[in-house]
Amino acid sequence: MKRLDFVTLKLFVAIADSRSLTRAAEREHLALAAVSKRISDLETQLSTTLLYRRPRGVELTPAGHALLHHARHMLDSLDHLNADLSEYSVGIRGHVRLHANTSSVIEFLPDDLSDFSRRYPQIRIDMQERLSHEIIDAVRDGLTDIGIFSGHVPAEGLSIYPYRRDRLVLVTARDHPLAERESLAFAETLDYDFIGLEQDSSLHALLHQDSQRLARPVRMRIQVRSFEGICRMIDRGMGIGILPARAVAAYRESLSLTTTALTDEWAERELVIGIRDLETLPLIAREMIEHLANASARDIETPDIEAPPQGP
């Protein structure tokens, strides 16, 4: 078995496809005598008959069918190997499709993708911002190579890798009654009007799931499509909201906002990478997954929760 060569295996597959030594010889640009000898030598080497010789062609024996199955798999693996190494030989290049939720787009991906692009400047990254459940569907349907979404959203059938953790905080205007608190539980916020994301978002679902557990509804006054929209509404005194701490940090300089730590366990949230099958992805997509997954091991601190204002 150690002496099997890929030329003979490729020839055997051609014979199996055409059911003819002659047509296989023409397809592989070999003399018929050379084809016949290679197959005879292969049968001798394996100590079994692979082909039934018929007047009008050949048929596979049971051993031949078994060899055909493995030969196709080995040749396919060889093709993948050649493709991967050829990418290395010219300097990694290619195209990666990435769908990601708003939290990862705002908090982590700008830095992580920038680092990756510096390592592989010849690749093109097609990134789209989507809701977590939309991302999971897109990965399942093959519409994207890689998905990044909230870890609490069910993603059956996908391979999951850890990416990052973020911390949810209460966001209020500086003059709001809750702005003076150092920390509080979600239950203590439910007497106030909320500004939140649209209903299909994973963050919206997370808040309503806990409100149902508490048997107290969220008073959702306004729903918008972006973190910036929520922050601007809160700045104008329209309500309060719950957002990732890193996302709010981007608006602190321009808006009058205070963030307060939440004591609920679900406030510490995980973001994950989801794919269908690692082995079927292009090499450069696998390189990106490794890069993003390694980011989870980096010691990157979440921005400090802003202390409540002191005095008048």
Side-chain angles (χ1 to χ4, degrees):
M1 291 294 291
K2 293 181 180 180
R3 295 169 57 191
L4 284 176
D5 65 271
F6 286 106
V7 174
T8 301
L9 289 179
K10 186 178 179 183
L11 178 61
F12 181 77
V13 171
I15 293 170
D17 289 342
S18 63
R19 305 293 183 181
S20 168
L21 295 178
T22 302
R23 286 194 291 272
E26 293 172 351
R27 171 172 151 180
E28 298 301 317
H29 307 290
L30 295 171
L32 179 58
V35 170
S36 181
K37 186 176 187 310
R38 277 186 175 269
I39 297 304
S40 295
D41 290 346
L42 180 60
E43 290 178 320
T44 299
Q45 183 179 346
L46 298 177
S47 301
T48 187
T49 301
L50 300 173
L51 300 173
Y52 294 123
R53 277 72 172 177
R54 307 296 191 195
R56 295 186 178 180
V58 296
E59 294 180 11
L60 297 181
T61 66
H65 281 289
L67 177 62
L68 177 64
H69 169 75
H70 291 287
R72 290 192 192 279
H73 179 74
M74 293 170 69
L75 291 172
D76 184 60
S77 296
L78 181 63
D79 287 340
H80 282 292
L81 174 62
N82 287 332
D84 287 354
L85 293 181
S86 67
E87 286 184 326
Y88 277 117
S89 69
V90 297
I92 294 291
R93 64 181 68 194
H95 173 213
V96 181
R97 300 171 301 167
L98 171 66
H99 285 194
N101 68 352
T102 302
S103 296
S104 60
V105 169
I106 292 177
E107 299 178 74
F108 304 114
L109 285 175
D111 288 338
D112 290 343
L113 292 183
S114 176
D115 292 342
F116 187 76
S117 295
R118 281 194 291 269
R119 289 176 57 191
Y120 304 116
Q122 299 185 66
I123 71 157
R124 182 165 68 90
I125 301 172
D126 177 11
M127 187 181 76
Q128 297 186 34
E129 184 178 338
R130 292 287 186 269
L131 300 174
S132 287
H133 75 276
E134 295 175 336
I135 296 168
I136 293 169
D137 289 342
V139 175
R140 286 190 181 127
D141 294 340
L143 301 178
T144 187
D145 300 313
I146 302 169
I148 298 179
F149 47 87
S150 296
H152 72 273
V153 182
E156 291 83 358
L158 299 187
S159 296
I160 302 298
Y161 302 86
Y163 175 46
R164 296 280 200 170
R165 302 189 73 87
D166 67 357
R167 189 196 314 163
L168 297 175
V169 295
L170 177 71
V171 187
T172 65
R174 289 189 182 275
D175 58 355
H176 193 276
L178 295 179
E180 298 180 359
R181 299 285 299 275
E182 291 186 4
S183 65
L184 75 174
F186 175 58
E188 299 176 79
T189 70
L190 293 175
D191 290 332
Y192 299 91
D193 291 333
F194 268 77
I195 313 297
L197 290 175
E198 53 193 333
Q199 191 164 351
D200 289 337
S201 71
S202 60
L203 181 54
H204 183 278
L206 186 63
L207 299 185
H208 276 267
Q209 179 179 338
D210 204 47
S211 72
Q212 289 177 351
R213 180 186 65 81
L214 296 168
R216 297 180 62 192
V218 176
R219 289 167 45 178
M220 194 62 68
R221 184 179 187 184
I222 301 173
Q223 290 177 273
V224 297
R225 294 183 60 86
S226 68
F227 289 168
E228 181 180 4
I230 293 176
C231 288
R232 291 192 178 280
M233 290 288 181
I234 293 173
D235 174 65
R236 304 308 296 174
M238 300 297 292
I240 63 176
I242 291 179
L243 292 173
R246 286 181 179 271
V248 182
Y251 308 109
R252 278 182 177 169
E253 291 186 6
S254 58
L255 301 176
S256 178
L257 301 175
T258 296
T259 54
T260 304
L262 291 168
T263 58
D264 305 83
E265 288 186 6
W266 51 258
E268 189 74 20
R269 195 172 57 153
E270 184 178 19
L271 300 174
V272 298
I273 301 166
I275 59 172
R276 284 201 302 180
D277 180 16
L278 186 65
E279 296 301 320
T280 61
L281 287 177
L283 171 65
I284 192 61
R286 284 178 269 154
E287 292 281 351
M288 178 178 285
I289 291 169
E290 181 179 1
H291 175 80
L292 295 176
N294 286 340
S296 66
R298 300 173 191 158
D299 185 18
I300 300 179
E301 296 293 333
T302 301
D304 292 335
I305 305 301
E306 184 175 332
Q310 302 294 324

